[in-house]
Structures are given as structure tokens and as C-alpha cells.
mmCIF file of all heavy atoms in Angstrom:
data_model
loop_
_atom_site.group_PDB
_atom_site.id
_atom_site.type_symbol
_atom_site.label_atom_id
_atom_site.label_comp_id
_atom_site.label_asym_id
_atom_site.label_seq_id
_atom_site.Cartn_x
_atom_site.Cartn_y
_atom_site.Cartn_z
ATOM 1 N N LYS S 290 -4.781 -12.059 19.773
ATOM 2 C CA LYS S 290 -4.930 -10.660 19.144
ATOM 3 C C LYS S 290 -5.113 -10.810 17.591
ATOM 4 O O LYS S 290 -5.250 -9.726 17.082
ATOM 5 C CB LYS S 290 -3.596 -9.971 19.462
ATOM 6 C CG LYS S 290 -3.362 -9.676 21.000
ATOM 7 C CD LYS S 290 -2.096 -8.926 21.352
ATOM 8 C CE LYS S 290 -1.723 -8.860 22.830
ATOM 9 N NZ LYS S 290 -2.719 -8.426 23.683
ATOM 10 N N GLY S 291 -4.819 -11.963 17.077
ATOM 11 C CA GLY S 291 -4.996 -12.063 15.677
ATOM 12 C C GLY S 291 -4.610 -13.515 15.167
ATOM 13 O O GLY S 291 -4.252 -14.329 15.925
ATOM 14 N N HIS S 292 -4.369 -13.636 13.900
ATOM 15 C CA HIS S 292 -3.997 -14.793 13.214
ATOM 16 C C HIS S 292 -2.413 -14.817 13.191
ATOM 17 O O HIS S 292 -1.779 -13.824 12.989
ATOM 18 C CB HIS S 292 -4.464 -14.961 11.839
ATOM 19 C CG HIS S 292 -5.995 -14.923 11.791
ATOM 20 N ND1 HIS S 292 -6.707 -15.982 12.396
ATOM 21 C CD2 HIS S 292 -6.835 -14.016 11.251
ATOM 22 C CE1 HIS S 292 -7.999 -15.686 12.180
ATOM 23 N NE2 HIS S 292 -8.062 -14.513 11.458
ATOM 24 N N ILE S 293 -1.888 -16.061 13.293
ATOM 25 C CA ILE S 293 -0.482 -16.198 13.278
ATOM 26 C C ILE S 293 -0.090 -17.075 12.111
ATOM 27 O O ILE S 293 -0.721 -18.194 11.772
ATOM 28 C CB ILE S 293 0.084 -16.865 14.541
ATOM 29 C CG1 ILE S 293 -0.220 -15.993 15.764
ATOM 30 C CG2 ILE S 293 1.537 -17.276 14.442
ATOM 31 C CD1 ILE S 293 0.021 -16.677 17.129
ATOM 32 N N TYR S 294 0.884 -16.649 11.363
ATOM 33 C CA TYR S 294 1.453 -17.413 10.187
ATOM 34 C C TYR S 294 2.997 -17.486 10.375
ATOM 35 O O TYR S 294 3.635 -16.584 10.849
ATOM 36 C CB TYR S 294 1.189 -16.701 8.839
ATOM 37 C CG TYR S 294 -0.342 -16.567 8.602
ATOM 38 C CD1 TYR S 294 -0.964 -15.411 8.755
ATOM 39 C CD2 TYR S 294 -1.108 -17.709 8.151
ATOM 40 C CE1 TYR S 294 -2.358 -15.376 8.509
ATOM 41 C CE2 TYR S 294 -2.509 -17.632 7.947
ATOM 42 C CZ TYR S 294 -3.094 -16.328 8.071
ATOM 43 O OH TYR S 294 -4.455 -16.357 7.837
ATOM 44 N N ILE S 295 3.491 -18.619 9.875
ATOM 45 C CA ILE S 295 4.903 -18.876 10.031
ATOM 46 C C ILE S 295 5.534 -19.348 8.620
ATOM 47 O O ILE S 295 4.805 -20.090 7.915
ATOM 48 C CB ILE S 295 5.205 -20.040 11.119
ATOM 49 C CG1 ILE S 295 4.861 -19.592 12.459
ATOM 50 C CG2 ILE S 295 6.722 -20.497 10.933
ATOM 51 C CD1 ILE S 295 5.103 -20.765 13.479
ATOM 52 N N THR S 296 6.582 -18.741 8.258
ATOM 53 C CA THR S 296 7.355 -19.230 7.128
ATOM 54 C C THR S 296 8.744 -19.667 7.742
ATOM 55 O O THR S 296 9.277 -18.977 8.568
ATOM 56 C CB THR S 296 7.610 -18.184 5.977
ATOM 57 O OG1 THR S 296 8.422 -17.094 6.500
ATOM 58 C CG2 THR S 296 6.257 -17.554 5.574
ATOM 59 N N SER S 297 9.258 -20.729 7.238
ATOM 60 C CA SER S 297 10.502 -21.346 7.864
ATOM 61 C C SER S 297 11.342 -22.103 6.903
ATOM 62 O O SER S 297 10.787 -22.809 6.086
ATOM 63 C CB SER S 297 10.023 -22.327 9.105
ATOM 64 O OG SER S 297 11.121 -22.912 9.614
ATOM 65 N N GLU S 298 12.658 -21.937 6.951
ATOM 66 C CA GLU S 298 13.610 -22.572 6.285
ATOM 67 C C GLU S 298 13.898 -23.884 7.110
ATOM 68 O O GLU S 298 14.344 -24.916 6.449
ATOM 69 C CB GLU S 298 14.968 -21.870 6.178
ATOM 70 C CG GLU S 298 14.904 -20.682 5.137
ATOM 71 C CD GLU S 298 16.106 -19.863 5.115
ATOM 72 O OE1 GLU S 298 17.065 -20.185 5.936
ATOM 73 O OE2 GLU S 298 16.337 -19.111 4.295
ATOM 74 N N ARG S 299 13.704 -23.952 8.312
ATOM 75 C CA ARG S 299 14.055 -25.171 9.103
ATOM 76 C C ARG S 299 12.770 -25.923 9.348
ATOM 77 O O ARG S 299 11.635 -25.406 9.293
ATOM 78 C CB ARG S 299 14.698 -24.761 10.362
ATOM 79 C CG ARG S 299 13.909 -23.956 11.391
ATOM 80 C CD ARG S 299 14.728 -23.477 12.566
ATOM 81 N NE ARG S 299 13.951 -22.988 13.633
ATOM 82 C CZ ARG S 299 14.123 -21.805 14.240
ATOM 83 N NH1 ARG S 299 15.082 -21.010 13.644
ATOM 84 N NH2 ARG S 299 13.344 -21.393 15.231
ATOM 85 N N LYS S 300 12.903 -27.136 9.760
ATOM 86 C CA LYS S 300 11.795 -27.949 10.104
ATOM 87 C C LYS S 300 11.016 -27.494 11.248
ATOM 88 O O LYS S 300 11.662 -27.054 12.304
ATOM 89 C CB LYS S 300 12.400 -29.429 10.318
ATOM 90 C CG LYS S 300 11.105 -30.513 10.596
ATOM 91 C CD LYS S 300 11.653 -31.867 10.663
ATOM 92 C CE LYS S 300 10.559 -32.848 10.881
ATOM 93 N NZ LYS S 300 11.072 -34.227 11.088
ATOM 94 N N LEU S 301 9.728 -27.485 11.255
ATOM 95 C CA LEU S 301 8.911 -26.893 12.242
ATOM 96 C C LEU S 301 8.502 -28.151 13.290
ATOM 97 O O LEU S 301 8.234 -29.306 12.759
ATOM 98 C CB LEU S 301 7.652 -26.346 11.901
ATOM 99 C CG LEU S 301 7.917 -25.042 11.114
ATOM 100 C CD1 LEU S 301 6.503 -24.487 10.508
ATOM 101 C CD2 LEU S 301 8.524 -23.999 11.905
ATOM 102 N N ASN S 302 8.306 -27.893 14.614
ATOM 103 C CA ASN S 302 7.788 -28.884 15.464
ATOM 104 C C ASN S 302 6.377 -29.068 15.043
ATOM 105 O O ASN S 302 5.688 -28.322 14.453
ATOM 106 C CB ASN S 302 7.823 -28.281 16.954
ATOM 107 C CG ASN S 302 9.273 -28.137 17.404
ATOM 108 O OD1 ASN S 302 10.183 -28.812 16.809
ATOM 109 N ND2 ASN S 302 9.433 -27.293 18.407
ATOM 110 N N ASN S 303 5.842 -30.196 15.437
ATOM 111 C CA ASN S 303 4.475 -30.701 15.010
ATOM 112 C C ASN S 303 3.479 -29.633 15.377
ATOM 113 O O ASN S 303 2.504 -29.339 14.781
ATOM 114 C CB ASN S 303 4.178 -32.033 15.638
ATOM 115 C CG ASN S 303 4.872 -33.144 14.887
ATOM 116 O OD1 ASN S 303 5.294 -33.001 13.657
ATOM 117 N ND2 ASN S 303 5.017 -34.252 15.489
ATOM 118 N N ASN S 304 3.661 -29.081 16.622
ATOM 119 C CA ASN S 304 2.678 -28.081 17.185
ATOM 120 C C ASN S 304 2.733 -26.792 16.517
ATOM 121 O O ASN S 304 1.767 -25.901 16.685
ATOM 122 C CB ASN S 304 2.892 -27.953 18.680
ATOM 123 C CG ASN S 304 4.205 -27.320 19.019
ATOM 124 O OD1 ASN S 304 5.146 -27.738 18.469
ATOM 125 N ND2 ASN S 304 4.333 -26.582 20.005
ATOM 126 N N LEU S 305 3.754 -26.468 15.686
ATOM 127 C CA LEU S 305 3.858 -25.207 14.927
ATOM 128 C C LEU S 305 3.536 -25.390 13.505
ATOM 129 O O LEU S 305 3.324 -24.448 12.814
ATOM 130 C CB LEU S 305 5.347 -24.724 15.049
ATOM 131 C CG LEU S 305 5.855 -24.342 16.395
ATOM 132 C CD1 LEU S 305 7.289 -23.820 16.298
ATOM 133 C CD2 LEU S 305 5.024 -23.250 17.154
ATOM 134 N N GLU S 306 3.480 -26.668 12.960
ATOM 135 C CA GLU S 306 3.228 -26.846 11.560
ATOM 136 C C GLU S 306 1.828 -26.322 11.159
ATOM 137 O O GLU S 306 1.760 -25.865 9.994
ATOM 138 C CB GLU S 306 3.264 -28.286 11.315
ATOM 139 C CG GLU S 306 3.323 -28.648 9.764
ATOM 140 C CD GLU S 306 4.478 -28.186 9.041
ATOM 141 O OE1 GLU S 306 5.554 -28.282 9.548
ATOM 142 O OE2 GLU S 306 4.189 -27.606 7.982
ATOM 143 N N LYS S 307 0.889 -26.234 12.063
ATOM 144 C CA LYS S 307 -0.423 -25.697 11.673
ATOM 145 C C LYS S 307 -0.409 -24.167 11.362
ATOM 146 O O LYS S 307 -1.305 -23.680 10.698
ATOM 147 C CB LYS S 307 -1.405 -26.034 12.794
ATOM 148 C CG LYS S 307 -1.037 -25.284 14.144
ATOM 149 C CD LYS S 307 -2.040 -25.666 15.180
ATOM 150 C CE LYS S 307 -1.655 -24.939 16.495
ATOM 151 N NZ LYS S 307 -2.581 -25.272 17.667
ATOM 152 N N TYR S 308 0.643 -23.564 11.747
ATOM 153 C CA TYR S 308 0.813 -22.095 11.531
ATOM 154 C C TYR S 308 1.440 -21.825 10.204
ATOM 155 O O TYR S 308 1.530 -20.620 9.735
ATOM 156 C CB TYR S 308 1.556 -21.385 12.679
ATOM 157 C CG TYR S 308 0.809 -21.494 13.957
ATOM 158 C CD1 TYR S 308 1.362 -22.279 14.951
ATOM 159 C CD2 TYR S 308 -0.359 -20.734 14.298
ATOM 160 C CE1 TYR S 308 0.761 -22.324 16.208
ATOM 161 C CE2 TYR S 308 -0.987 -20.818 15.449
ATOM 162 C CZ TYR S 308 -0.420 -21.595 16.419
ATOM 163 O OH TYR S 308 -0.995 -21.746 17.697
ATOM 164 N N ARG S 309 2.021 -22.825 9.532
ATOM 165 C CA ARG S 309 2.772 -22.649 8.338
ATOM 166 C C ARG S 309 1.950 -21.987 7.140
ATOM 167 O O ARG S 309 0.838 -22.470 6.987
ATOM 168 C CB ARG S 309 3.389 -23.976 7.832
ATOM 169 C CG ARG S 309 4.359 -23.650 6.595
ATOM 170 C CD ARG S 309 4.731 -25.005 6.023
ATOM 171 N NE ARG S 309 5.715 -25.798 6.962
ATOM 172 C CZ ARG S 309 6.975 -25.525 6.912
ATOM 173 N NH1 ARG S 309 7.619 -24.595 6.156
ATOM 174 N NH2 ARG S 309 7.788 -26.254 7.810
ATOM 175 N N LEU S 310 2.554 -20.937 6.629
ATOM 176 C CA LEU S 310 1.806 -20.199 5.547
ATOM 177 C C LEU S 310 2.137 -20.769 4.139
ATOM 178 O O LEU S 310 3.375 -20.817 3.807
ATOM 179 C CB LEU S 310 2.195 -18.794 5.580
ATOM 180 C CG LEU S 310 1.538 -17.935 4.472
ATOM 181 C CD1 LEU S 310 0.039 -17.888 4.488
ATOM 182 C CD2 LEU S 310 2.159 -16.429 4.556
ATOM 183 N N LEU S 311 1.226 -21.278 3.415
ATOM 184 C CA LEU S 311 1.470 -21.705 2.086
ATOM 185 C C LEU S 311 0.912 -20.703 1.001
ATOM 186 O O LEU S 311 -0.260 -20.480 0.898
ATOM 187 C CB LEU S 311 0.636 -23.060 1.854
ATOM 188 C CG LEU S 311 1.075 -24.219 2.824
ATOM 189 C CD1 LEU S 311 0.122 -25.338 2.574
ATOM 190 C CD2 LEU S 311 2.425 -24.526 2.652
ATOM 191 N N VAL S 312 1.918 -19.959 0.398
ATOM 192 C CA VAL S 312 1.716 -18.766 -0.352
ATOM 193 C C VAL S 312 2.807 -18.924 -1.526
ATOM 194 O O VAL S 312 3.723 -19.365 -1.376
ATOM 195 C CB VAL S 312 1.718 -17.491 0.390
ATOM 196 C CG1 VAL S 312 3.089 -17.349 0.934
ATOM 197 C CG2 VAL S 312 1.254 -16.381 -0.538
ATOM 198 N N PRO S 313 2.396 -18.475 -2.776
ATOM 199 C CA PRO S 313 3.350 -18.410 -3.787
ATOM 200 C C PRO S 313 4.698 -17.635 -3.324
ATOM 201 O O PRO S 313 4.577 -16.669 -2.705
ATOM 202 C CB PRO S 313 2.803 -17.699 -4.933
ATOM 203 C CG PRO S 313 1.347 -18.004 -4.753
ATOM 204 C CD PRO S 313 1.064 -18.160 -3.260
ATOM 205 N N LEU S 314 5.831 -18.232 -3.624
ATOM 206 C CA LEU S 314 7.152 -17.601 -3.140
ATOM 207 C C LEU S 314 7.226 -16.232 -3.547
ATOM 208 O O LEU S 314 7.818 -15.405 -2.714
ATOM 209 C CB LEU S 314 8.250 -18.505 -3.633
ATOM 210 C CG LEU S 314 8.271 -19.982 -3.102
ATOM 211 C CD1 LEU S 314 9.397 -20.722 -3.933
ATOM 212 C CD2 LEU S 314 8.424 -20.086 -1.633
ATOM 213 N N SER S 315 6.871 -15.923 -4.748
ATOM 214 C CA SER S 315 7.103 -14.487 -5.283
ATOM 215 C C SER S 315 6.156 -13.576 -4.637
ATOM 216 O O SER S 315 6.327 -12.411 -4.875
ATOM 217 C CB SER S 315 6.893 -14.525 -6.755
ATOM 218 O OG SER S 315 5.603 -15.109 -7.126
ATOM 219 N N ASP S 316 5.131 -13.964 -3.755
ATOM 220 C CA ASP S 316 4.288 -12.975 -3.101
ATOM 221 C C ASP S 316 4.541 -12.721 -1.695
ATOM 222 O O ASP S 316 3.823 -12.055 -1.064
ATOM 223 C CB ASP S 316 2.826 -13.640 -3.179
ATOM 224 C CG ASP S 316 2.139 -13.552 -4.617
ATOM 225 O OD1 ASP S 316 2.605 -12.809 -5.378
ATOM 226 O OD2 ASP S 316 1.296 -14.316 -4.801
ATOM 227 N N ILE S 317 5.717 -13.224 -1.276
ATOM 228 C CA ILE S 317 6.046 -13.078 0.223
ATOM 229 C C ILE S 317 6.178 -11.600 0.646
ATOM 230 O O ILE S 317 5.798 -11.133 1.815
ATOM 231 C CB ILE S 317 7.214 -13.858 0.510
ATOM 232 C CG1 ILE S 317 7.460 -13.990 2.068
ATOM 233 C CG2 ILE S 317 8.574 -13.279 -0.136
ATOM 234 C CD1 ILE S 317 6.310 -14.687 2.764
ATOM 235 N N HIS S 318 6.581 -10.740 -0.266
ATOM 236 C CA HIS S 318 6.817 -9.382 0.146
ATOM 237 C C HIS S 318 5.364 -8.703 0.336
ATOM 238 O O HIS S 318 5.291 -7.704 1.099
ATOM 239 C CB HIS S 318 7.615 -8.577 -0.774
ATOM 240 C CG HIS S 318 9.077 -9.124 -0.839
ATOM 241 N ND1 HIS S 318 9.683 -9.677 -1.932
ATOM 242 C CD2 HIS S 318 9.980 -9.087 0.152
ATOM 243 C CE1 HIS S 318 10.900 -10.051 -1.641
ATOM 244 N NE2 HIS S 318 11.120 -9.721 -0.410
#
């Protein structure tokens, strides 16, 4: 249905790492 992005404080499994969002911390809102 669309794109998936993940932000995480904990370590991600290898199969989830590809979804990690890299964005400036101050822009999260």
C-alpha cells in the first residue's frame, strides 16, 4: 500500500534494517 520507514532505539534485525529512515533528528516531527 505504500513505503515503509522505521526509526528505532533498539537494534534492528537484518531484514528490517533496509527500512530504517535516515533523517536529521530535529526533523522527525
Side-chain angles (χ1 to χ4, degrees):
K290 305 179 188 304
H292 301 295
I293 295 169
Y294 297 104
I295 292 176
T296 68
S297 180
E298 290 178 348
R299 65 184 192 237
K300 185 177 180 181
L301 294 176
N302 296 338
N303 290 337
N304 59 324
L305 297 180
E306 190 62 42
K307 63 184 177 182
Y308 298 109
R309 186 186 290 275
L310 175 63
L311 300 176
V312 64
L314 302 172
S315 55
D316 286 339
I317 191 62
H318 295 115

